[in-house]
Amino acid sequence: MPRLLREINDRAALELLLSTGPMTRGQIGDLTGLSKVTASQTLARLEERGLVEVVGAQAGGRGPNAALYSVIPSSAYVAGLEVGPEQVSAAVADIHGRTVAEVTFAPNGHDDLVPVVHGAIMKACRSAKVGVGKLRGVVIGTPGVVDPRTGDVRYAFDLPGWHEGSHEALAGELKREVTIENDVNLAAVAERADGAAEGLDDFVLLWASRGLGLAVMLGGKLHRGRSGSAGEIGYLAVPGAPLPEEIRTSPGRLPALAGGLQSLVSAEAVAELAAGYGFAAAGARECVEVALAAGDRGEPLLDELAHRLALGVAAVCVILDPGLVVLGGEVGHAGGRALTARVEEAVARICPVRPQVTTSTLEGNPVLRGAVLAALQQAHEEIFAS
C-alpha cells in the first residue's frame, strides 16, 4: 500500500476515534469507507505507534464480541495557560482534552514573564506527573495584541512583563513551538466548542470585565486581522466619549486606554456610572449584581449600561452582521438575560441589524479552556503528520 494512502487511512481512523470515542473495527470501517482488512491493518499500525489500544468489547450478534478501540489518553498531552495581571493559570490535559492537572499562582509583578510562564508549565507538568517532553501543544492566552510575524505580545499595558523576544525565549526554554493568543479569542474558541455559540461558524464574543475585548469568528475561524489587532473594540470612537489620543507614546507600548468605548464600559466607568445612580460597588460584576438586586430602582442603571454596550455591538453588526453576539466576562455573566435583552433592544433602536444577544454559558475559566482546546488542535495535527 502506498505510504500516502496509509497516512490518509491512519489519520481518518484517528480523527474518528478522537471525535467519537471507542469504536469497533467494523464501525471504523463503515464510517471511513475502509474494508475490514484495511481497517485491521490501520488499527495494527496505530497500536504499534502506541496511539490506540483495546479498551473493551461490544456484544454483537451470534459471533464473538467485537473489540472496542480507543486512543490512548497518555499518548500525548497539551498545556494551556491564561496569563493575567493578577494570576497565571496553567492546565495540562490528555489527548482527549481531559484536564489532569491545574495550577494557579500570582506573577508577583515580575519584570519578565518568560520565567513565570515556564515555571507555571513545569509546575503543572509535575502535578500531572507528565514530562514536559510529552507536550504536543502549548497555547498561552493573554490580554494584548499578538504580532502575527513574531508571536510577541504588544499593547498589553497591564502586563509589562511581555517583552520583544518573549515568544522566541519561551520556545527555547521549552524546546518546542509555543503559541501566544489573545485571551478573548481563546474564550471564543471555548464558546464555539462548548458554550452559547456551540457549532456556529459566525458569531462575535464581546468580553466586558476589567477591560473590553472582542473576538470575531467567521467561517469557523478566528479573524485576527493583518496586524493581529482585530477586536480591539476598546479604541472604537463612540458618541459620548472622548477620542483615544496619543496611543503610540512609545514603541510597542500603550498607556492605560483613555477615550473610546473603553472609557464608557471599563470596570472603573461602570463603577462610576453605578455611583451616579446611588449604588456603591467595587467592580463591574458587583455593580451589575446590585442593580439587579435592587429591582425597579436598578433598571435605569441596567438601561444605561446596555445602551453603552450597544454602541459597540451596533458598530460591529453593521459591518459583520454576525447573527449572534455572546456577552462574556464579568458583566455578561452577572447581567444574564436581563442585560442581554436590553442590549438587543438598544441595538435595534440604533442600527438596521438586530442580532441575537446571549450570555456566555461556559463554566469555569473560558480562556484556559480555549487555550487547552487550541493546544489539542495542534497536538492532533502533529500526531497526524508524524
Side-chain angles (χ1 to χ4, degrees), residues 149-169:
R149 299 167 302 167
T150 65
D152 282 326
V153 181
R154 302 177 296 141
Y155 309 149
F157 54 82
D158 275 345
L159 288 166
W162 286 125
H163 299 293
E164 184 177 347
S166 291
H167 177 251
E168 184 179 357

Side-chain angles (χ1 to χ4, degrees), residues 74-166:
S74 61
S75 59
Y77 293 91
V78 299
L81 293 90
E82 181 189 23
V83 178
E86 297 178 353
Q87 68 178 32
V88 175
S89 299
V92 172
D94 64 26
I95 195 62
H96 292 291
R98 290 187 287 262
T99 299
V100 293
E102 184 174 330
V103 300
T104 299
F105 57 90
N108 294 324
H110 278 268
D111 293 334
D112 186 356
L113 281 172
V114 171
V116 176
V117 173
H118 181 258
I121 294 172
M122 300 303 292
K123 185 176 180 180
C125 284
R126 285 195 297 271
S127 180
K129 297 181 173 56
V130 171
V132 70
K134 290 278 283 183
L135 297 179
R136 295 289 192 105
V138 178
V139 175
I140 301 161
T142 181
V145 175
V146 179
D147 189 325
R149 299 167 302 167
T150 65
D152 282 326
V153 181
R154 302 177 296 141
Y155 309 149
F157 54 82
D158 275 345
L159 288 166
W162 286 125
H163 299 293
E164 184 177 347
S166 291

